[in-house]
């Protein structure tokens, strides 16, 4: 039977199907198809020089072959070797009838040759369970990256991602030839790397919410939420990444985004007592005092450990979004400012960044900063600038002579939504993989001089919203990042992306299956839904299956033909393939909301600037004048009872679970006098689904004092009509 299957496979595969250059992501620089093929049999060996043993073992994880230490692979084998005439990350891959030869300029190049070879094999290799033989078309590939820095930034502070999760993420980055993982280890919500000289930073600051001086934020308020990497675990991550040519760049975000640190070590804060009445005595400050010598001593202790732990030459010290107003209230920062004739908060920030940078340089490393850190014009040119705010911010950094990592948020922040009604932020832009692919330095206006200082391209995932999606069936991190990382890979490796249709063809024809085999629950584009002449149709451009559900009915159906209906808004569609799925989409009527006259009252006094009438008008935000206490309520009374299919009362920002009732419940009243409790708040929102009668009033009640902030955002109700 086995023999029969073997010959059947040989026969089928001798017609050479895979291995067209057009199906590889990122696209190799040169690909030449030759006639003939090579068959990888169970007897084929992975031959390698002694130093390449780890990479031979790596390949053998995917291709179940024996490895063989020798410099000449002989016939019938896959030979890995280093050819120092090639660039460090360059490689050649030659498939002939006699065997496969991968030569790299260094281990990195060999690794990329292996990755390209894997893409020439059936997608199932990525499951590590594919069965031989495989036929590979004869070809010659000559390839090297355009940018030597091809990065991704992962925020593990807002949402904790454990060591295994990070390794999994690195593994898939490496399959896409991304070679830097910038790991955002600290922020206002958590400190994630063990510092042996200051164990409290993780033992206390690695957690937030219940039992921690750090307030809960973004979800899971009822938990002592968090985690951290021990230095030992981080060493394992670094080693795991290094084999895959991924360098780990640590970031400690300073001097702002340090609320967490300040809760653990209040002594780092400025010398004044803030007004904490509105926040129930909770200190919300987030910036380190610039004038305290003890702060520099403390940070030197932190960075000396990090410099030893991380082999990367880069250490990121933050510098973004600093609330410099805190320094205005500090007599010591003001005295320092005066003594150095500084005119602004930006100059004080650069004083801080320069002192820290000098220390980082003394450790033999390069300090990296977010682009705001050069606003005052005094930062050392030793710094590497990460341009996130805009293309202009990136260009300015290059013009001023800084090595610059280009990552403007409206192209490269993969925590942004991929279309208007999908999850994610929208403050930078709403965009999908096609926009990422279109990024082109020249089209963005970079001059050739500016381009000389572009050190690389990076994308990022800030994880404020991830925590509230951890229970989703689809992995939110993977949904937000793939296939956008595929586009990043193409842009960073090739220098710019090509036509979307051609690239998307490669995705659909070959790479979808690879990503599924890699275990990536990637995002599929939304189906297109149309309604005309009483008929509802749904289509996808990527040949995936479409499913639908009907509002108010149980179950899901496979869409196989247009649907005749006079109620198109009741149908909700999505597409799915393995673990990959699209968001839900319906005709516009499904999203229509009602705006009945409503009066909002509360046990909490309203903000003078943003009164409750803002939310009554359904257009603007309202805010309370203080944070919430256990027992506080917000009441929505409708002028006329409201008939609807669903009513939601949200609190907090629209797409960011902050400034809300962390815990509480929702009550409904059909007569305006008697209330019944109908559910708990989830992420600050109460929901009434399929109410039995017309609703006269709704009340949300808070059951937890404080939300880590100074106020609560009060929002208009979302009311959906019966369909
Ligand atoms: C950033 O997004 N604040 C770097
Ligand atoms: Zn100060």
């Amino acid at each position: 039977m086995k023999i029969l299957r073997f010959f059947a496979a040989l026969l089928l595969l001798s017609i050479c199907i895979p291995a067209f250059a057009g199906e590889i992501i990122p696209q190799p620089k040169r690909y030449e198809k030759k006639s003939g093929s090579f068959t990888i049999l169970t007897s084929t060996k992975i031959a390698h020089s002694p130093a390449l043993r780890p990479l031979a073992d790596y390949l053998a994880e995917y291709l179940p072959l024996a490895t063989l230490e020798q410099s000449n692979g002989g016939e019938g084998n896959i030979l890995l070797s280093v050819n120092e005439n090639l660039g460090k990350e360059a490689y050649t891959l030659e498939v002939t009838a006699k065997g496969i030869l991968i030569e790299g300029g260094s281990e990195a190049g060999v690794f990329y040759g292996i990755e390209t070879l894997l893409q020439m094999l059936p997608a199932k290799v990525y499951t590590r369970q594919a069965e031989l033989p495989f036929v590979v078309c004869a070809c010659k590939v000559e390839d090297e990256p355009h940018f030597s820095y091809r990065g991704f930034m992962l925020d593990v502070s807002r949402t904790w991602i454990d060591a295994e999760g990070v390794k999994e993420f690195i593994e898939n980055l490496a399959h896409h030839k991304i070679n830097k993982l910038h790991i955002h280890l600290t922020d206002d919500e958590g400190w994630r790397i063990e510092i042996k000289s200051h164990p409290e930073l993780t033992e206390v600051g690695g957690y937030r919410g219940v039992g921690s001086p750090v307030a809960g934020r973004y979800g899971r308020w009822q938990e002592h939420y968090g985690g951290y990497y021990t230095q030992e675990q981080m060493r394992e991550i670094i080693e795991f990444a290094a084999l895959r040519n991924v360098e780990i760049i640590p970031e400690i975000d300073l001097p702002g985004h340090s609320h967490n640190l300040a809760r653990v070590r209040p002594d780092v804060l400025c010398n004044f007592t803030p007004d904490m009445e509105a926040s129930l005595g909770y200190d919300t400050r987030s910036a380190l005092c610039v004038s305290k010598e003890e702060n520099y001593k403390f940070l030197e202790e932190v960075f000396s450990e990090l410099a030893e732990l991380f082999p990367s030459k880069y250490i990121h010290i933050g510098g973004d979004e600093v609330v410099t107003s805190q320094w205005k209230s500090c007599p010591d920062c003001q005295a320092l400012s005066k003594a150095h004739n500084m005119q602004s908060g930006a100059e004080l920030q650069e004083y801080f960044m320069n002192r820290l940078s000098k220390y980082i340089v003394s450790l033999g490393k390069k300090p990296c900063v977010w682009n705001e850190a050069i606003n005052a014009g005094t930062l050392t040119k030793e710094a590497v600038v990460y341009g996130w705010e805009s293309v202009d911010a990136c260009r300015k950094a290059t013009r001023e002579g800084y090595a610059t990592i280009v990552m403007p948020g409206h192209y490269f922040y993969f925590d942004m939504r991929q279309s208007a009604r999908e999850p994610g932020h929208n403050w930078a832009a709403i965009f999908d993989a096609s926009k990422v692919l279109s990024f082109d330095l020249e089209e963005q206006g970079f001059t050739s001089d500016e381009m000389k200082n572009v050190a690389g391209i990076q994308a990022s995932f800030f994880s404020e919203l991830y925590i509230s999606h951890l229970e989703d069936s689809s992995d939110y991190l993977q949904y937000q990042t793939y296939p956008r990382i595929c586009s990043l890979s193409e842009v960073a490796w090739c220098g710019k992306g090509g036509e979307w249709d051609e690239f998307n063809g490669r995705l659909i024809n070959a790479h979808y299956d690879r990503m599924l085999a890699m275990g990536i629950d990637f995002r599929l584009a939304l189906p297109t839904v149309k309604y005309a002449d009483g008929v509802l149709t749904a289509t996808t451009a990527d040949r995936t299956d479409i499913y639908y559900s009907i509002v108010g009915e149980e179950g899901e159906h496979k869409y196989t033909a247009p649907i005749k209906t006079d109620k198109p808004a009741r149908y909700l569609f999505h597409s799915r393939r393995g673990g990959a799925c699209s968001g839900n989409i319906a005709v516009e009527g499904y999203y229509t909301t009602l705006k009945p006259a409503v009066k909002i009252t509360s046990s909490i006094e309203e903000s003078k600037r943003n009164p409750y009438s803002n939310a009554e008008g359904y257009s603007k935000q309202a805010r309370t004048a203080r944070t919430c206490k256990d027992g506080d309520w917000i009441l929505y009374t409708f002028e006329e009872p409201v008939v609807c299919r669903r009513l939601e009362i949200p609190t907090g920002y629209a797409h960011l679970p902050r400034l809300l009732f962390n815990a509480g419940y929702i009550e409904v009243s059909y007569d305006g006098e008697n209330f019944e409790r109908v559910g708990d708040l989830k992420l600050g929102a109460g929901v009434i689904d399929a109410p039995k009668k017309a609703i006269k009033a709704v009340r949300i009640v808070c059951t937890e004092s404080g939300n880590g902030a100074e106020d609560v955002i009060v929002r208009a109700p979302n009311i959906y009509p019966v369909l």
Side-chain angles (χ1 to χ4, degrees):
M1 199 51 209
K2 261 203 155 142
I3 294 259
L4 262 182
R5 211 166 57 194
F6 171 79
F7 281 109
L10 265 192
L11 214 102
L12 259 175
L13 291 173
S14 55
I15 313 156
C16 223
I17 305 159
F20 292 108
E23 291 181 335
I24 290 164
I25 289 178
Q27 181 93 275
K29 208 165 176 178
R30 265 183 294 282
Y31 175 96
E32 195 185 336
K33 192 173 182 306
K34 307 258 175 148
S35 61
S37 64
F38 175 70
T39 304
I40 303 175
L41 303 166
T42 49
S43 57
T44 305
K45 304 242 176 342
I46 302 171
H48 61 89
S49 54
L52 294 178
R53 175 63 184 264
L55 286 176
D57 288 344
Y58 172 82
L59 177 55
E61 281 180 36
Y62 296 92
L63 266 180
L65 300 175
T67 60
L68 174 70
E69 192 172 301
Q70 63 175 64
S71 53
N72 180 344
E75 294 209 353
N77 286 341
I78 300 169
L79 174 63
L80 309 180
S81 87
V82 168
N83 174 352
E84 282 167 3
N85 296 322
L86 297 170
K88 202 172 147 288
E89 293 188 303
Y91 68 91
T92 59
L93 164 60
E94 205 166 357
V95 181
T96 66
K98 291 182 183 164
I100 298 177
L101 172 63
I102 293 173
E103 286 190 329
S106 68
E107 277 96 334
V110 174
F111 178 76
Y112 292 133
I114 289 173
E115 288 301 319
T116 297
L117 174 63
L118 291 179
Q119 291 203 17
M120 294 178 171
L121 305 179
K124 211 176 168 207
V125 286
Y126 291 101
T127 66
R128 300 177 169 85
Q129 286 167 355
E131 287 176 32
L132 297 164
F134 295 145
V135 175
V136 191
C137 296
C139 65
K140 175 145 195 205
V141 180
E142 292 172 326
D143 198 11
E144 66 183 328
H146 183 87
F147 289 110
S148 60
Y149 185 117
R150 306 176 298 282
F152 193 86
M153 192 226 74
L154 188 61
D155 168 11
V156 295
S157 177
R158 276 58 174 273
T159 301
W160 162 238
I161 304 173
D162 66 16
E164 279 314 303
V166 171
K167 283 187 196 165
E168 223 172 82
F169 196 74
I170 289 169
E171 174 151 52
N172 290 329
L173 286 179
H175 287 322
H176 292 83
K177 300 188 172 99
I178 301 297
N179 69 350
K180 311 281 179 217
L181 179 72
H182 162 184
I183 187 163
H184 188 70
L185 288 166
T186 72
D187 210 300
D188 292 319
E189 293 79 14
W191 183 292
R192 305 275 176 232
I193 182 71
E194 177 191 27
I195 303 296
K196 290 190 191 283
S197 55
H198 295 280
E200 72 283 4
L201 295 177
T202 45
E203 284 170 11
V204 181
Y207 299 87
R208 65 180 187 253
V210 180
S212 169
V214 188
R217 206 178 269 182
Y218 304 135
R220 300 209 169 182
W221 288 273
Q222 310 311 314
E223 293 176 26
H224 184 63
Y225 173 82
Y228 63 90
Y229 313 109
T230 62
Q231 292 197 0
E232 197 46 45
Q233 284 174 319
M234 186 49 75
R235 266 188 213 100
E236 280 173 26
I237 293 174
I238 290 165
E239 195 180 321
F240 179 90
L243 175 68
R244 293 158 176 79
N245 195 42
V246 175
E247 177 180 326
I248 310 285
I249 299 167
E251 179 187 357
I252 303 293
D253 198 353
L254 297 163
H257 282 273
S258 296
H259 174 64
N260 170 282
L261 172 61
R263 297 300 298 158
V264 179
R265 292 277 310 258
D267 56 296
V268 300
L269 287 167
C270 278
N271 176 18
F272 70 98
T273 307
D275 181 357
M276 298 187 282
E277 201 183 346
S279 54
L280 300 182
Y282 185 86
D283 192 339
T284 59
R285 288 178 291 169
S286 61
L288 271 66
C289 182
V290 179
S291 76
K292 282 189 177 163
E293 281 306 311
E294 300 87 332
N295 280 356
Y296 298 100
K297 181 170 173 296
F298 161 71
L299 291 172
E300 287 181 12
E301 285 160 5
V302 168
F303 282 108
S304 66
E305 282 191 41
L306 293 177
E308 199 149 303
L309 176 60
F310 290 89
S312 172
K313 69 178 179 202
Y314 300 107
I315 291 188
H316 204 300
I317 56 174
D320 59 319
E321 299 178 312
V322 185
V323 184
T324 57
S325 58
Q326 290 163 32
W327 299 332
K328 286 205 182 105
S329 308
C330 174
D332 301 338
C333 282
Q334 286 310 302
L336 177 73
S337 186
K338 211 166 159 196
H340 290 264
N341 198 23
M342 293 189 271
Q343 310 298 324
S344 65
E347 282 178 80
L348 261 174
Q349 177 178 339
E350 284 188 26
Y351 171 90
F352 175 93
M353 305 305 286
N354 268 328
R355 281 198 58 174
L356 214 49
S357 295
K358 201 168 163 193
Y359 184 68
I360 302 288
V361 170
S362 79
L363 295 169
K365 306 279 185 175
K366 271 201 156 315
C368 303
V369 298
W370 295 110
N371 63 249
E372 297 100 305
I374 63 166
N375 284 351
T378 56
L379 190 73
T380 170
K381 302 290 184 209
E382 304 252 23
V384 179
V385 175
Y386 285 59
W388 69 279
E389 284 187 297
S390 63
V391 167
D392 280 349
C394 299
R395 292 186 55 198
K396 171 179 181 291
T398 61
R399 273 198 306 280
E400 292 178 9
Y402 292 100
T404 303
I405 305 300
V406 172
M407 53 182 304
H410 58 305
Y411 281 87
F412 294 113
Y413 268 33
F414 296 171
D415 42 317
M416 295 298 130
R417 268 178 250 174
Q418 296 174 83
S419 72
R421 291 202 172 93
E422 286 177 82
H425 297 290
N426 64 352
W427 58 262
I430 295 174
F431 63 92
D432 62 15
S434 66
K435 180 170 168 185
V436 182
L437 189 83
S438 75
F439 188 81
D440 177 344
L441 291 172
E442 203 174 323
E443 276 178 18
Q444 296 292 336
F446 284 77
T447 64
S448 53
D449 277 345
E450 288 168 3
M451 276 191 228
K452 283 182 198 142
N453 284 332
V454 173
I457 304 274
Q458 180 164 289
S460 73
F461 177 80
F462 281 97
S463 62
E464 296 97 329
L465 302 183
Y466 186 18
I467 172 171
S468 56
H469 286 274
L470 283 175
E471 312 298 340
D472 290 2
S473 55
S474 177
D475 185 300
Y476 180 73
L477 171 61
Q478 295 178 348
Y479 185 92
Q480 292 298 91
T481 54
Y482 288 91
R484 288 192 281 199
I485 284 177
C486 306
S487 299
L488 167 72
S489 152
E490 187 86 357
V491 171
W493 185 271
C494 305
K496 63 179 194 176
E499 288 298 312
W500 170 251
D501 285 348
E502 183 279 325
F503 180 79
N504 196 31
R506 265 184 280 156
L507 280 177
I508 296 167
N509 294 334
H511 208 68
Y512 273 16
D513 283 340
R514 291 184 201 127
M515 287 193 283
L516 290 175
M518 289 173 199
I520 300 173
D521 291 349
F522 58 96
R523 180 250 187 192
L524 292 168
L526 292 171
T528 304
V529 178
K530 289 206 173 107
Y531 183 66
D533 305 324
V535 176
L536 192 55
T537 53
T539 49
T540 57
D542 58 10
R543 306 192 300 269
T544 50
D545 293 330
I546 303 175
Y547 300 84
Y548 66 96
S549 56
I550 303 170
V551 173
E553 293 180 19
E554 293 277 311
E556 177 191 89
H557 316 271
K558 188 161 180 181
Y559 173 85
T560 51
I563 299 164
K564 271 196 185 151
T565 176
D566 60 355
K567 291 191 168 29
R570 295 185 67 207
Y571 292 79
L572 199 54
F573 298 85
H574 74 276
S575 69
R576 210 164 65 222
R577 179 158 153 190
C581 66
S582 76
N584 282 310
I585 187 79
V587 294
E588 209 46 44
Y590 172 84
Y591 303 101
T592 303
T593 54
L594 305 171
K595 295 182 170 52
V598 64
K599 181 75 195 158
I600 300 176
T601 52
S602 173
S603 61
I604 318 176
E605 52 281 26
E606 65 189 352
S607 134
K608 288 203 170 58
R609 265 185 71 194
N610 299 290
Y612 297 150
S613 54
N614 279 359
E616 289 168 355
Y618 290 93
S619 57
K620 288 188 279 179
Q621 277 183 9
R623 295 178 88 126
T624 59
R626 60 161 169 85
T627 194
C628 44
K629 289 186 200 151
D630 186 4
D632 273 332
W633 49 265
I634 306 171
L635 174 67
Y636 297 72
T637 307
F638 298 104
E639 201 168 289
E640 296 296 331
V642 176
V643 176
C644 63
R645 75 174 194 271
R646 180 180 167 93
L647 186 151
E648 301 161 352
I649 305 285
T651 57
Y653 286 113
H655 294 283
L656 188 70
R658 269 201 75 192
L659 309 190
L660 37 68
F661 280 5
N662 287 0
Y665 55 89
I666 181 165
E667 298 176 316
V668 66
S669 173
Y670 303 109
D671 59 8
E673 286 174 18
N674 300 295
F675 285 81
E676 69 183 84
R677 181 169 168 165
V678 286
D680 290 335
L681 303 188
K682 228 178 137 190
L683 294 174
V687 174
I688 301 168
D689 251 324
K692 299 185 287 270
K693 290 187 267 182
I695 296 172
K696 174 64 182 167
V698 193
R699 184 161 57 199
I700 53 171
V701 181
C702 176
T703 56
E704 188 182 303
S705 289
N707 62 3
E710 285 155 18
D711 58 356
V712 178
I713 294 178
V714 175
R715 307 237 313 269
N718 301 319
I719 307 170
Y720 299 92
V722 174
L723 295 171

